[in-house]
Amino acid sequence: MPEKNQFQHCFANGLVVLGETMPWLNTAAFSLQFPAGSAYQPMGQNGLAALTCEMSERGCAEYDNRQFLEALELLGANTGNHVGTYHTGFSGSCLRENFLPVLELYAKLSREARLSASELESARLVCLQELYSQQDDLPQQTLRTLREHFFGLTLGRWPDGNLDELENITGSQVANFYQEHFSPQGMILAIAGNFDWDQCLRKIESLWGDWQATPQTAFDRTLGKGGYQHLVEESQQTHIALAAPTVPFGQDDYFLIRCAVGVLGDGMSSRLFQEVREKRGLCYSVFAGIHSLLDAACITAYSGTTTARAQETLDTIIAEFSRVQLGIDEDELRRIKVQVRTGLMAQQESCRARAGAIGSDWFYLRRVRTKEEINEQLNRLTVPRVNQYLADHPIQISSVVTVGAAPLELPHGVC
């Protein structure tokens, strides 16, 4: 059951509105998500979602590009956008008295974007510049390749796109993508902060309630085949990334493995940081985490090191993956719980962060977790439970990507 300060409403056209009041603040925030992520792009058009997102903010209804931005600035709105696997999202925060006018501007963006042909090439250049900036970022290129290697050609697409494909996207393809995927069916609007729920809901109904939904299209969910891939790069550095399948966010065992992975590679007290970087001095960067989609997830780890020490770095990371399966201790569990609770406290001080969190909860869980529920999940995490899970669910590394002068050797049983 929702808390007294939590609200939700589902409109007949598919739009879901979520709210959480934070009356101690003077601001309000929104997170607006459309089913227009990179997974929905037709093959050969990787970058279409990013370009459509950029074009949508370049004028809508009676506002041209400059007028739209000026209107947001006059309202004091701090806004941003994001393209992910499933969604194109917009978020923002402002003073509570300006919140409804800001929502009105984003209703115009979502329903009446101009998508002017005169803006296409300048919008494309913005997207291309983002990709150009990543070309020399070898750590990101390594993780990008790993993502595609593990999740496959559709779910593993890099949301920023592909240079060759982005350059050939047409204005009509942008318009079609906008018409098909900027739709109330699958749209999630999460609001948090100091606002009046009934007043906001009436306004939202007037802005989006009569919007007709378009059918959602399916996409290929086939995962990648895994294995080892090496990309040759003449450099004194070698970049290493690996992935192992695990349970997605929302499943009962997720927090058990999330805790173990936190011990393994989250922060300067983690085992990877201490063993690979601090004790052995093998690398300048090392970390691990979980990347979760709706139906699939993987434990990922990355390290950047010198070519001379790359093989030892890979061997040590794999050894730490094996060692964590033997169990964690009380001090390590305590550290992870403190980190999670600190994040929860930070959300209580940022309505924008909270809006994003409740929107994400709804997409993955079809409900919004309360702070008390998360605390209860943390309290149920014990060393015996985590260690039993690790004993029952061996971590099997299935994908490895390296970038550097020469390939590395994988231990027996990896990939």
Side-chain angles (χ1 to χ4, degrees):
M1 293 292 292
E3 293 292 296
K4 291 181 179 180
N5 69 324
Q6 290 183 340
F7 307 90
Q8 61 188 52
H9 183 84
C10 299
F11 286 94
N13 60 8
L15 164 61
V16 174
V17 184
L18 310 165
E20 184 170 311
T21 54
M22 304 165 75
W24 58 90
L25 299 177
N26 292 316
T27 55
F30 69 92
S31 171
L32 181 60
Q33 300 181 71
F34 297 96
S38 58
Y40 291 97
Q41 301 168 141
M43 294 304 293
Q45 297 177 31
N46 193 10
L48 177 59
L51 183 56
T52 304
C53 177
E54 178 66 27
M55 285 287 287
S56 70
E57 293 189 305
R58 290 174 172 261
C60 54
E62 69 270 27
Y63 299 97
D64 63 22
N65 185 3
R66 181 174 177 178
Q67 290 169 335
F68 180 76
L69 296 176
E70 287 179 344
L72 287 172
E73 289 181 352
L74 285 171
L75 292 168
N78 180 13
T79 62
N81 62 53
H82 172 73
V83 176
T85 300
Y86 301 110
H87 295 104
T88 290
F90 303 90
S91 62
S93 60
C94 62
L95 293 174
R96 58 170 299 191
E97 57 265 29
N98 294 333
F99 187 57
L100 296 184
V102 169
L103 284 184
E104 187 170 348
L105 287 172
Y106 275 88
K108 294 178 186 294
L109 177 152
S110 64
R111 301 186 64 174
E112 302 178 74
R114 291 186 176 187
L115 307 178
S116 173
S118 63
E119 294 283 353
L120 179 62
E121 292 311 314
S122 57
R124 190 196 312 275
L125 282 174
V126 170
C127 296
L128 288 171
Q129 288 298 328
E130 180 63 32
L131 288 175
Y132 291 145
S133 71
Q134 298 171 16
Q135 285 188 309
D136 295 327
D137 189 341
L138 293 182
Q140 190 173 56
Q141 291 294 335
T142 307
L143 290 167
R144 173 177 179 159
T145 304
L146 180 73
R147 174 181 174 139
E148 185 174 297
H149 209 236
F150 184 89
F151 287 109
L153 295 177
T154 300
L155 292 174
R157 287 171 172 169
W158 197 249
D160 291 336
N162 172 282
L163 279 172
D164 293 336
E165 296 178 15
L166 180 57
E167 287 176 340
N168 294 311
I169 292 172
T170 66
S172 61
Q173 290 170 335
V174 169
N176 289 338
F177 192 79
Y178 176 84
Q179 291 297 327
E180 291 175 10
H181 298 290
F182 279 61
S183 166
Q185 184 64 46
M187 173 182 166
I188 302 170
L189 173 57
I191 56 180
N194 193 335
F195 64 90
D196 181 281
W197 169 252
D198 292 331
Q199 182 186 38
C200 278
L201 195 61
R202 287 193 298 270
K203 183 66 173 180
I204 291 165
E205 182 174 20
S206 72
L207 296 174
W208 284 288
D210 65 343
W211 195 12
Q212 296 301 305
T214 56
Q216 286 189 289
T217 57
F219 52 80
D220 184 14
R221 299 175 185 269
T222 305
L223 297 181
K225 295 181 179 180
Y228 177 46
Q229 182 175 355
H230 176 73
L231 305 178
V232 177
E233 184 74 31
E234 294 304 324
S235 171
Q236 295 301 309
Q237 298 177 339
T238 297
H239 304 270
I240 301 166
L242 53 85
T246 190
V247 294
F249 175 71
Q251 293 195 13
D252 291 341
D253 293 333
Y254 175 82
F255 279 97
L256 296 173
I257 189 61
R258 174 65 186 86
C259 177
V261 173
V263 168
L264 177 66
D266 188 357
M268 291 185 291
S269 297
S270 68
R271 293 187 182 183
L272 283 177
F273 191 92
Q274 288 296 315
E275 183 69 22
V276 183
R277 187 182 188 276
E278 297 296 281
K279 181 179 177 180
R280 296 175 182 257
L282 292 174
C283 67
Y284 54 86
S285 176
V286 63
F287 57 83
I290 294 181
H291 183 70
S292 181
L293 301 181
L294 267 179
D295 304 315
C298 65
I299 303 166
T300 61
Y302 164 83
S303 183
T305 183
T306 62
T307 299
R309 312 206 72 177
Q311 185 65 55
E312 186 180 357
T313 300
L314 174 61
D315 293 343
T316 306
I317 291 172
I318 292 173
E320 288 302 310
F321 265 74
S322 297
R323 189 168 74 89
V324 80
Q325 291 189 186
L326 301 177
I328 68 171
D329 61 38
E330 291 288 351
D331 286 342
E332 291 173 321
L333 178 60
R334 190 177 302 112
R335 174 176 64 85
I336 296 301
K337 288 184 175 182
V338 168
Q339 287 179 341
V340 174
R341 288 195 169 100
T342 299
L344 286 176
M345 292 301 295
Q347 281 186 15
Q348 297 305 307
E349 298 175 3
S350 168
C351 54
R352 190 166 175 179
R354 188 58 188 150
I358 63 178
S360 178
D361 270 3
W362 182 268
F363 178 69
Y364 283 99
L365 305 174
R366 287 298 182 263
R367 61 185 179 83
V368 176
R369 296 174 299 166
T370 64
K371 182 175 66 174
E372 289 71 24
E373 178 185 350
I374 298 173
N375 269 318
E376 176 59 27
Q377 288 177 318
L378 288 175
N379 291 335
R380 291 180 60 242
L381 283 176
T382 64
V383 168
R385 287 189 67 218
V386 174
N387 290 348
Q388 187 62 55
Y389 178 84
L390 290 169
D392 293 341
H393 301 83
I395 298 172
Q396 299 290 338
I397 297 170
S398 63
S399 298
V400 176
V401 172
T402 56
V403 177
L408 305 178
E409 295 182 4
L410 300 185
H412 178 71
V414 174
C415 294

